[in-house]
Amino acid sequence: MRRRRHLGRAGAILLGLLVLAGCTRTSIEGLQVRSGPGTGHAVVGTIPESGTPVRVDCWRRGEPVRGDTVWYRLLGPVEGWVTNYYVHTTRELASTPSC
């Protein structure tokens, strides 16, 4: 038997925003968030769990990571830059503004 979780008003609003904006989540544990779009930039934080929802502000091209040159600037849960290679999104890149 599965337990149901009660989201509460704030959780329901957040879930609604993720559905409207396109769901964006990390794909690995310990994702390093950097001060700029490349691995040479300082690490400003870490997102510890795979599947963590992230808020994307904008994107730009940067240092390739496994052939992927797109980097997202995050507004949360940690502010900074992550490579698209480690982010799953349900929205098209064109629907996210460039930085």
Side-chain angles (χ1 to χ4, degrees):
M1 177 187 258
R2 292 184 78 172
R3 276 173 83 184
R4 287 187 162 191
R5 290 186 183 177
H6 180 67
L7 292 176
R9 183 177 171 93
I13 291 171
L14 177 60
L15 183 60
L17 289 174
L18 288 172
V19 169
L20 289 174
C23 186
T24 305
R25 298 182 177 276
T26 59
S27 64
I28 65 166
E29 291 181 23
L31 179 61
Q32 294 180 333
V33 181
R34 298 188 174 270
S35 62
T39 59
H41 292 273
V43 174
V44 296
T46 303
I47 301 173
E49 295 182 27
S50 176
T52 299
V54 293
R55 292 186 347 212
V56 173
D57 180 33
C58 57
W59 70 274
R60 70 178 283 195
R61 301 255 179 227
E63 176 188 352
V65 173
R66 299 188 185 219
D68 194 335
T69 61
V70 173
W71 285 73
Y72 293 114
R73 185 169 62 195
L74 300 183
L75 297 175
V78 178
E79 289 187 32
W81 294 84
V82 295
T83 174
N84 178 60
Y85 187 80
Y86 295 118
V87 174
H88 289 288
T89 182
T90 58
R91 61 180 161 193
E92 297 294 321
L93 184 61
S95 69
T96 303
S98 63
C99 298

